Amino acid sequence: MEDVDAVDAVDAAGLDFWSFVALANRRLAHEYGFRHQLATEVLLTLNRASDLVTYDLEAAVHRPRGRSWSAFRLLFVVWLAGPLEPTSAARLTGMSRAAVSNLVKTLVAEGMLDRAPDERDGRSVRLSLTEAGHEEMVSVFREHNEREFGWTNALTETEQRILVMLLGKLITSRAEFGTRSRK
C-alpha cells in the first residue's frame, strides 16, 4: 500500500486542476464504485470558478481599499436594497446573522454604515449607507464591475445568459432534496 501512496504523491505534484478532476473521476468510479462523477465534476468546477473569481475581486479591488469580500457584499446589498434590517441583509448576502452583526459593528465604526432604530419596530434596527459609504460604493463598483466584465468577457452574451439560467436552476432546485442553507 505504501508503494501506491508514494506513486500517487509523486504523480500529484504534476497535477493541475483539470487532470485532478479526471483522476478523481477515474478513482471514484473504478476504485470506489461511485456513480455520479459528472455531478462531482460540475461542483468541483463550480467551486473552483467561484473561488478564483472571488479571490481575484477581493485581491485586485477590495483589499487594496482595506475591505474584505464580506464587507463589500454587505455594503453592496445595503447600497442597492437598503435601508434594511440585518436579518434581510444576512439573507441577501448569504452570510450568517452573526457575521453580518460583526461586520456592521466595524462598518459603523468606520463611518460606512448607519444603524438606526426601525420606525415600525423599536426592537429592530435598519441599516443604511452613510454619505461616505455611498461615495465609496459608487467608486469601488466602477472598478469591480470592470473586473467582472473581464471575467465574463470570455463568454458571449448568450453564453452568459445560459450560465445564469443554469446556475439559477441549480439554486432553485435545491429544495427538492432537502439542502441546507443559511437562514
Side-chain angles (χ1 to χ4, degrees):
M1 193 65 149
E2 289 179 14
D3 292 336
V4 172
D5 289 341
V7 170
D8 286 345
V10 170
D11 291 342
L15 291 174
D16 64 9
F17 175 73
W18 297 112
S19 60
F20 168 73
V21 169
L23 172 70
N25 280 338
R26 280 193 311 277
R27 292 195 65 191
L28 289 170
H30 300 298
E31 292 178 39
Y32 299 101
F34 291 107
R35 301 175 310 161
H36 307 294
Q37 289 78 37
L38 184 56
T40 301
E41 186 172 346
V42 167
L43 293 181
L44 282 172
T45 306
L46 178 62
N47 280 309
R48 175 57 62 100
S50 177
D51 288 346
L52 287 170
V53 170
T54 300
Y55 180 81
D56 178 65
L57 289 170
E58 184 173 40
V61 178
H62 303 293
R63 285 279 177 212
R65 293 172 178 259
R67 297 274 173 249
S68 66
W69 178 248
S70 295
F72 167 75
R73 285 174 28 218
L74 179 58
L75 290 168
F76 182 77
V77 164
V78 175
W79 176 40
L80 298 174
L84 70 166
E85 296 175 341
T87 301
S88 295
R91 181 176 35 80
L92 293 173
T93 60
M95 290 188 265
S96 70
R97 177 67 174 83
V100 166
S101 180
N102 286 332
L103 273 173
V104 165
K105 290 174 193 170
T106 301
L107 293 169
V108 166
E110 293 175 356
M112 298 291 110
L113 280 182
D114 184 43
R115 263 184 80 184
D118 189 327
E119 294 173 5
R120 295 173 291 175
D121 179 0
R123 297 169 295 171
S124 188
V125 298
R126 303 215 27 105
L127 304 174
S128 59
L129 289 183
T130 62
E131 183 70 29
H134 184 268
E135 289 172 12
E136 180 172 314
M137 288 308 297
V138 171
S139 172
V140 74
F141 195 72
R142 277 189 185 86
E143 187 177 350
H144 179 99
N145 191 235
E146 287 301 317
R147 199 85 181 176
E148 289 175 324
F149 178 76
W151 275 98
T152 60
N153 198 36
L155 304 173
T156 66
E157 182 178 334
T158 300
E159 290 169 332
Q160 290 176 48
R161 292 186 190 287
I162 290 169
L163 180 58
V164 169
M165 179 191 69
L166 293 172
L167 292 171
K169 190 172 183 178
L170 277 178
I171 291 166
T172 58
S173 72
R174 74 181 194 267
E176 294 176 13
F177 59 97
T179 62
R180 297 178 182 157
S181 63
R182 290 185 179 100
K183 299 283 183 198

